[in-house]
Amino acid sequence: EKGYERGEHAPGLKLGGWGAYKAAHHIIQSHAKVWHSYNNTWRSEQQGMVGISLTSGWGEPIDPHDPTDRDAAERYIQFHLGWFANPIYRGDYPEIMKNYVGRKSTQQGLGTSRLPTFSAQEKNYIKGTSDFLGIGHFTTRYVIQKSSPLPQVSSYDTDSDLAELVDPKWPAPGPKWLYSVPWGFRRLLNFIKTQYGNPLIYVTENGVSEKVQCTQLCDEWRIDYLRGYINEMLKALNDGVNVKGYTAWSLLDKFEWNKGFSERFGFYHIDFKNKNKARYPKASVDYYKEIINANGFPNPREVMS
């Protein structure tokens, strides 16, 4: 979407209304081909696994008792996670995506939907091509219905007819898009369990960056974020969600898309101005070490021998 719709990321194309859908279509087909290649050639010898990692926020209806808001929240998750996960686990794009993009394409006078279609053969080829689901998750949004007048320039952003809101009380320790809403993580994981048959899940990205560099490396907000999100993941495990592993994002400060080195997600501060790129542990390092050593939250009453 950012590379082929808005042009913010490489390759910087602004193909409004269809570029993102076409790129995603090719990604899904390519992923399936890789999975089959491994399955047919190397799996018997190596006994490895091939999965896909998808990043998605959680969409919560602003009024859970309002069916219009509930429908909008459903569209949010289907236009994000379902866009890729539904073909891989169910064989085709979510019906809600096909309906909305198809209807808007017709209103715009197009003969076919801007959302590509899979043939019956392609659906069978793609379905089931993931031994695990990798999940990147950072934040949550409240969602409401927002019907836009038919724009002259079509857009993935307007196809779903929804608006995203945040609660001003949510902590916003990092960039303007990343609010700390731990309970959304549990709901996303349970959605995956229900929607896709409780697949094996590895959390491949979860973390927060800082707005400003803390010279004392005192990133208590990162500790609070990790504590909240890991706790909600543990609740999801108790719910029966099949989470096998968790990876915090990230070990080091590093290059972050079009933000370059200005957005720092790392446990270790990197001095990019120094020729040797010196590394300095932030406060979150010791906290996360304790979680790793305990394989969960340490028991404060446990006596270490």
Side-chain angles (χ1 to χ4, degrees):
E1 185 242 342
K2 290 187 177 180
Y4 293 86
E5 181 89 21
R6 296 184 190 173
E8 295 175 9
H9 289 179
L13 301 180
K14 297 181 180 180
L15 308 175
W18 62 271
Y21 295 132
K22 195 164 186 178
H25 200 68
H26 291 159
I27 288 170
I28 294 164
Q29 291 172 311
S30 302
H31 164 79
K33 189 164 187 176
V34 170
W35 187 91
H36 281 286
S37 175
Y38 186 85
N39 194 55
N40 296 333
T41 308
W42 295 288
R43 188 189 299 274
S44 59
E45 178 185 346
Q46 297 179 352
Q47 297 298 306
M49 295 194 300
V50 176
I52 192 167
S53 184
L54 305 175
T55 299
S56 179
W58 174 250
E60 181 77 6
I62 191 81
D63 180 356
H65 303 293
D66 185 337
T68 303
D69 286 350
R70 291 202 304 269
D71 289 346
E74 175 74 13
R75 289 199 302 281
Y76 176 93
I77 197 68
Q78 295 295 356
F79 267 79
H80 287 83
L81 179 65
W83 184 7
F84 293 86
N86 218 74
I88 290 169
Y89 285 95
R90 293 184 159 193
D92 200 2
Y93 292 119
E95 287 298 318
I96 205 162
M97 276 192 82
K98 293 195 291 184
N99 292 341
Y100 267 71
V101 181
R103 184 173 69 250
K104 293 205 170 190
S105 299
T106 300
Q107 291 170 349
Q108 290 161 336
L110 302 176
T112 58
S113 175
R114 289 181 281 104
L115 182 69
T117 57
F118 294 114
S119 67
Q121 184 179 5
E122 287 171 333
K123 290 177 185 177
N124 289 329
Y125 187 75
I126 292 165
K127 185 178 181 181
T129 56
S130 200
D131 304 318
F132 65 89
L133 179 60
I135 282 293
H137 174 74
F138 294 91
T139 194
T140 284
R141 295 286 187 268
Y142 280 123
V143 184
I144 59 170
Q145 165 82 21
K146 183 186 179 183
S147 298
S148 309
L150 193 65
Q152 290 183 323
V153 179
S154 55
S155 166
Y156 163 80
D157 287 323
T158 58
D159 278 342
S160 52
D161 280 352
L162 56 85
E164 301 175 22
L165 307 173
V166 297
D167 187 330
K169 294 190 290 291
W170 288 345
K176 61 183 181 180
W177 61 270
L178 207 170
Y179 292 80
S180 181
V181 195
W183 52 260
F185 193 21
R186 181 184 184 184
R187 298 189 186 194
L188 175 66
L189 292 170
N190 271 282
F191 174 88
I192 293 167
K193 171 192 171 187
T194 304
Q195 193 84 358
Y196 307 123
N198 202 14
L200 178 65
I201 295 173
Y202 286 92
V203 178
T204 47
E205 293 184 28
N206 175 239
V208 66
S209 66
E210 51 251 46
K211 286 179 180 175
V212 293
Q213 182 180 332
C214 180
T215 53
Q216 291 79 32
L217 306 175
C218 47
D219 58 344
E220 284 82 6
W221 63 86
R222 182 174 283 108
I223 292 172
D224 291 341
Y225 180 97
L226 290 169
R227 182 187 295 114
Y229 276 77
I230 292 172
N231 191 41
E232 291 297 319
M233 181 180 65
L234 289 171
K235 292 177 186 177
L237 275 165
N238 289 333
D239 296 335
V241 179
N242 191 14
V243 180
K244 183 71 172 177
Y246 172 89
T247 305
W249 192 262
S250 59
L251 178 66
L252 309 171
D253 291 338
K254 54 179 183 50
F255 191 83
E256 287 287 343
W257 300 95
N258 58 341
K259 301 298 182 183
F261 298 108
S262 66
E263 201 161 307
R264 294 174 177 266
F265 277 86
F267 286 121
Y268 285 84
H269 172 82
I270 307 298
D271 184 358
F272 292 112
K273 295 178 181 178
N274 187 306
K275 182 176 70 173
N276 295 321
K277 306 293 186 290
R279 306 172 182 184
Y280 302 98
K282 303 174 188 177
S284 54
V285 167
D286 286 335
Y287 178 75
Y288 195 55
K289 278 181 179 178
E290 291 178 1
I291 291 176
I292 291 172
N293 287 333
N295 195 29
F297 292 111
N299 185 343
R301 292 171 295 179
E302 183 178 351
V303 177
M304 302 301 290
S305 57

